[in-house]
Amino acid sequence: MQEIFNIFIKSIFIDNMVFAYFLGMCSYLAVSKTVKTSVGLGLAVIFVLGITVPVDYLLNEFVLKAGALVWIDASFADVDLSFLSFILFIAIIASMVQLVEMIVEKFSPALYSSLGIFLPLIAVNCAILGGSLFMQERDYQSLGQATSFGLGSGVGWLLAIVGIAAIREKIRYSNVPPALRGLGITFIITGLMGIAFMSFLGIKL
Amino acid sequence: MSAEIKEREPLFSAKNMRLIKNPINLNNPITVQVLGICSALAVTAKLMPAIVLSISVIVVMAVSNVVISLLRDGIPPRIRIIVQLVVIASLVILVDQVLKAFVYDVSKQLSVFVGLIITNCIIMGRLEAFAMSNKPWPAFLDGIGNALGYGIILIIIAFLRELLGSGTVLDIQVIPQWFYDFGYQNNGLMILPPMALITVGVIIWVQRYYSRELIEKN
């Protein structure tokens, strides 16, 4: 139980998707103009990561890993399908996003209209595929650990995008050098936020 | 009527060359279109992985642009995203296997970022915006041009970070020893992730200073 909680905290602060691995930067830069929309996108990312990482974990554990197919027949013990993981993970993500979109539309039209265009965009957000690939690389031991990693990464991403959106709303009133306006200054602010987040590196969990 | 029959365009006409040249400066995928930042920053602490990743992206992008452009009339618009993802993902698997076979060390350093070429927004973006509505040859040039624009920025960042951060270029020591004897120190901050972002910010600053038309209105 404690291990699961540690992974959760670690993936929010220490291994933050945006500041430590630059994942999901494209939508992070494109959608962070106002706090309201960035909260919506952040919630959608948490939602999708929380679903796809555990599903991909099961897929990895029971289909892809070397010797994972033993549960069908002992003769499959030396089959290693891990080279297929990219294409299967992205297929799972694309279909999950589609599924989530349909479920949300059916049961909570209010949430659907507020997430709106962001849901389909998420299929090509690198943070989602990155989450699954890191899960595979780090070799988490149980479904609980994989889920808490997925949720934690999502929360970390939400934190980052809401932070930058709040700063960008304020910086509109500042006098930025013309050549740095917009994109340039956003990169530099993100870098500074990253340096701030590095202070969490020393924490051993 | 015969005057209206268009002469066959030469392979390297001015219009086609523009497809290669534009993305390198005025329409650069990273600094202007803001696509594909994710993988651009994480692999640039050393020059070698940056070069390998750029070459992989050039290959994937040129081939996928051609494939999608050949298929463009046969793809139903509703499922085009899935078709594009499948084409890209199969190419990335090929690249990944080749890297694992020939440059294993670099492939380990790149870790998940080879896989992330799949969700690299430049590739999807160019497929959507260009390959779906153009012939294979211009699509090929567009792919090469955009991937080059991406690669150039990647290599500039990696060069600066490796030079200032560890005093080496391609793992060859370039800062002479007597510099260190005088008290010169490698700037360890440059190797850390946040400095990649700040380096991109500075590159954008320099580029926009010289190409004034890119400056954003506030």
Side-chain angles (χ1 to χ4, degrees), chain A residues 2-13:
Chain A
Q2 200 200 347
E3 178 65 13
I4 289 177
F5 191 68
N6 281 350
I7 289 177
F8 186 70
I9 297 294
K10 209 172 154 206
S11 53
I12 296 179
F13 293 108

Side-chain angles (χ1 to χ4, degrees), chain A residues 20-88:
Chain A
Y21 299 105
F22 313 107
L23 293 180
M25 284 299 280
C26 312
S27 32
Y28 169 87
L29 290 169
V31 190
S32 60
K33 290 211 171 80
T34 61
V35 172
K36 202 164 164 256
T37 48
S38 55
V39 171
L41 184 65
L43 289 177
V45 167
I46 298 180
F47 203 52
V48 175
L49 264 176
I51 295 175
T52 54
V53 172
V55 171
D56 283 344
Y57 173 82
L58 292 176
L59 186 73
N60 189 39
E61 204 68 4
F62 291 109
V63 182
L64 295 173
K65 251 189 182 174
L69 287 172
V70 177
W71 60 275
I72 299 179
D73 192 89
S75 61
F76 289 122
D78 48 358
V79 176
D80 182 1
L81 291 178
S82 50
F83 69 95
L84 282 178
S85 49
F86 295 160
I87 204 163
L88 283 181

